[in-house]
PDB file of all heavy atoms in Angstrom:
ATOM      1  N   LEU Q  13      -8.049  14.447  -5.771  1.00 98.00           N
ATOM      2  CA  LEU Q  13      -7.931  13.082  -5.356  1.00 98.00           C
ATOM      3  C   LEU Q  13      -8.865  12.769  -4.201  1.00 98.00           C
ATOM      4  O   LEU Q  13      -9.491  11.693  -4.161  1.00 98.00           O
ATOM      5  CB  LEU Q  13      -6.497  12.783  -4.988  1.00 98.00           C
ATOM      6  CG  LEU Q  13      -5.501  12.666  -6.098  1.00 98.00           C
ATOM      7  CD1 LEU Q  13      -4.059  12.705  -5.648  1.00 98.00           C
ATOM      8  CD2 LEU Q  13      -5.691  11.342  -6.923  1.00 98.00           C
ATOM      9  N   LEU Q  14      -8.974  13.696  -3.263  1.00 97.00           N
ATOM     10  CA  LEU Q  14      -9.931  13.502  -2.155  1.00 97.00           C
ATOM     11  C   LEU Q  14     -11.387  13.480  -2.678  1.00 97.00           C
ATOM     12  O   LEU Q  14     -12.176  12.622  -2.175  1.00 97.00           O
ATOM     13  CB  LEU Q  14      -9.776  14.643  -1.166  1.00 97.00           C
ATOM     14  CG  LEU Q  14      -8.495  14.677  -0.312  1.00 97.00           C
ATOM     15  CD1 LEU Q  14      -8.317  15.988   0.382  1.00 97.00           C
ATOM     16  CD2 LEU Q  14      -8.487  13.512   0.660  1.00 97.00           C
ATOM     17  N   THR Q  15     -11.666  14.251  -3.661  1.00 97.00           N
ATOM     18  CA  THR Q  15     -13.036  14.214  -4.294  1.00 97.00           C
ATOM     19  C   THR Q  15     -13.296  12.856  -4.936  1.00 97.00           C
ATOM     20  O   THR Q  15     -14.397  12.348  -4.899  1.00 97.00           O
ATOM     21  CB  THR Q  15     -13.157  15.397  -5.281  1.00 97.00           C
ATOM     22  OG1 THR Q  15     -13.065  16.620  -4.586  1.00 97.00           O
ATOM     23  CG2 THR Q  15     -14.574  15.284  -5.958  1.00 97.00           C
ATOM     24  N   ALA Q  16     -12.212  12.284  -5.589  1.00 96.00           N
ATOM     25  CA  ALA Q  16     -12.375  11.025  -6.290  1.00 96.00           C
ATOM     26  C   ALA Q  16     -12.774   9.892  -5.286  1.00 96.00           C
ATOM     27  O   ALA Q  16     -13.574   9.041  -5.579  1.00 96.00           O
ATOM     28  CB  ALA Q  16     -11.070  10.658  -6.945  1.00 96.00           C
ATOM     29  N   TYR Q  17     -12.236   9.960  -4.001  1.00 95.00           N
ATOM     30  CA  TYR Q  17     -12.623   8.987  -3.004  1.00 95.00           C
ATOM     31  C   TYR Q  17     -14.151   9.178  -2.715  1.00 95.00           C
ATOM     32  O   TYR Q  17     -14.850   8.175  -2.548  1.00 95.00           O
ATOM     33  CB  TYR Q  17     -11.920   9.318  -1.680  1.00 95.00           C
ATOM     34  CG  TYR Q  17     -10.453   8.764  -1.633  1.00 95.00           C
ATOM     35  CD1 TYR Q  17      -9.379   9.576  -1.940  1.00 95.00           C
ATOM     36  CD2 TYR Q  17     -10.263   7.465  -1.173  1.00 95.00           C
ATOM     37  CE1 TYR Q  17      -8.104   9.039  -1.795  1.00 95.00           C
ATOM     38  CE2 TYR Q  17      -8.928   6.953  -1.075  1.00 95.00           C
ATOM     39  CZ  TYR Q  17      -7.871   7.766  -1.413  1.00 95.00           C
ATOM     40  OH  TYR Q  17      -6.583   7.305  -1.259  1.00 95.00           O
ATOM     41  N   GLN Q  18     -14.612  10.389  -2.700  1.00 93.00           N
ATOM     42  CA  GLN Q  18     -16.018  10.659  -2.294  1.00 93.00           C
ATOM     43  C   GLN Q  18     -16.968  10.326  -3.371  1.00 93.00           C
ATOM     44  O   GLN Q  18     -18.092   9.840  -3.129  1.00 93.00           O
ATOM     45  CB  GLN Q  18     -16.124  12.110  -1.852  1.00 93.00           C
ATOM     46  CG  GLN Q  18     -15.256  12.485  -0.634  1.00 93.00           C
ATOM     47  CD  GLN Q  18     -15.138  13.953  -0.479  1.00 93.00           C
ATOM     48  OE1 GLN Q  18     -15.608  14.756  -1.303  1.00 93.00           O
ATOM     49  NE2 GLN Q  18     -14.479  14.376   0.575  1.00 93.00           N
ATOM     50  N   THR Q  19     -16.601  10.616  -4.628  1.00 94.00           N
ATOM     51  CA  THR Q  19     -17.570  10.457  -5.734  1.00 94.00           C
ATOM     52  C   THR Q  19     -17.460   9.161  -6.488  1.00 94.00           C
ATOM     53  O   THR Q  19     -18.387   8.781  -7.189  1.00 94.00           O
ATOM     54  CB  THR Q  19     -17.330  11.600  -6.764  1.00 94.00           C
ATOM     55  OG1 THR Q  19     -16.059  11.437  -7.302  1.00 94.00           O
ATOM     56  CG2 THR Q  19     -17.493  12.973  -6.050  1.00 94.00           C
ATOM     57  N   GLY Q  20     -16.282   8.489  -6.289  1.00 93.00           N
ATOM     58  CA  GLY Q  20     -16.050   7.251  -7.037  1.00 93.00           C
ATOM     59  C   GLY Q  20     -15.740   7.480  -8.486  1.00 93.00           C
ATOM     60  O   GLY Q  20     -15.690   6.543  -9.343  1.00 93.00           O
ATOM     61  N   THR Q  21     -15.418   8.722  -8.836  1.00 95.00           N
ATOM     62  CA  THR Q  21     -15.009   9.025 -10.205  1.00 95.00           C
ATOM     63  C   THR Q  21     -13.547   9.297 -10.293  1.00 95.00           C
ATOM     64  O   THR Q  21     -13.003  10.218  -9.706  1.00 95.00           O
ATOM     65  CB  THR Q  21     -15.729  10.276 -10.701  1.00 95.00           C
ATOM     66  OG1 THR Q  21     -17.169  10.022 -10.625  1.00 95.00           O
ATOM     67  CG2 THR Q  21     -15.361  10.603 -12.161  1.00 95.00           C
ATOM     68  N   PRO Q  22     -12.763   8.500 -10.969  1.00 96.00           N
ATOM     69  CA  PRO Q  22     -11.264   8.670 -11.041  1.00 96.00           C
ATOM     70  C   PRO Q  22     -10.949   9.924 -11.831  1.00 96.00           C
ATOM     71  O   PRO Q  22     -11.726  10.389 -12.664  1.00 96.00           O
ATOM     72  CB  PRO Q  22     -10.777   7.377 -11.772  1.00 96.00           C
ATOM     73  CG  PRO Q  22     -11.952   6.872 -12.538  1.00 96.00           C
ATOM     74  CD  PRO Q  22     -13.197   7.259 -11.705  1.00 96.00           C
ATOM     75  N   ILE Q  23      -9.757  10.407 -11.648  1.00 97.00           N
ATOM     76  CA  ILE Q  23      -9.259  11.607 -12.344  1.00 97.00           C
ATOM     77  C   ILE Q  23      -8.207  11.187 -13.347  1.00 97.00           C
ATOM     78  O   ILE Q  23      -7.712  10.100 -13.396  1.00 97.00           O
ATOM     79  CB  ILE Q  23      -8.701  12.664 -11.309  1.00 97.00           C
ATOM     80  CG1 ILE Q  23      -7.375  12.077 -10.739  1.00 97.00           C
ATOM     81  CG2 ILE Q  23      -9.711  12.961 -10.243  1.00 97.00           C
ATOM     82  CD1 ILE Q  23      -6.684  13.130  -9.911  1.00 97.00           C
ATOM     83  N   GLU Q  24      -7.944  12.128 -14.211  1.00 97.00           N
ATOM     84  CA  GLU Q  24      -6.876  11.941 -15.221  1.00 97.00           C
ATOM     85  C   GLU Q  24      -5.541  11.940 -14.528  1.00 97.00           C
ATOM     86  O   GLU Q  24      -5.346  12.525 -13.431  1.00 97.00           O
ATOM     87  CB  GLU Q  24      -6.915  13.023 -16.255  1.00 97.00           C
ATOM     88  CG  GLU Q  24      -8.186  12.998 -17.134  1.00 97.00           C
ATOM     89  CD  GLU Q  24      -8.388  11.671 -17.881  1.00 97.00           C
ATOM     90  OE1 GLU Q  24      -7.366  11.168 -18.394  1.00 97.00           O
ATOM     91  OE2 GLU Q  24      -9.457  11.141 -17.830  1.00 97.00           O
ATOM     92  N   PRO Q  25      -4.503  11.334 -15.102  1.00 97.00           N
ATOM     93  CA  PRO Q  25      -3.135  11.302 -14.476  1.00 97.00           C
ATOM     94  C   PRO Q  25      -2.654  12.740 -14.120  1.00 97.00           C
ATOM     95  O   PRO Q  25      -2.906  13.667 -14.886  1.00 97.00           O
ATOM     96  CB  PRO Q  25      -2.291  10.702 -15.558  1.00 97.00           C
ATOM     97  CG  PRO Q  25      -3.230   9.835 -16.353  1.00 97.00           C
ATOM     98  CD  PRO Q  25      -4.552  10.573 -16.412  1.00 97.00           C
ATOM     99  N   VAL Q  26      -2.048  12.871 -12.984  1.00 97.00           N
ATOM    100  CA  VAL Q  26      -1.550  14.085 -12.519  1.00 97.00           C
ATOM    101  C   VAL Q  26      -0.578  14.734 -13.576  1.00 97.00           C
ATOM    102  O   VAL Q  26      -0.553  15.885 -13.844  1.00 97.00           O
ATOM    103  CB  VAL Q  26      -0.835  13.933 -11.177  1.00 97.00           C
ATOM    104  CG1 VAL Q  26      -0.186  15.254 -10.758  1.00 97.00           C
ATOM    105  CG2 VAL Q  26      -1.816  13.465 -10.118  1.00 97.00           C
TER     106      VAL Q  26
END
Side-chain angles (χ1 to χ4, degrees):
L13 288 165
L14 289 167
T15 299
Y17 280 95
Q18 297 165 356
T19 65
T21 302
I23 68 172
E24 295 301 315
V26 176

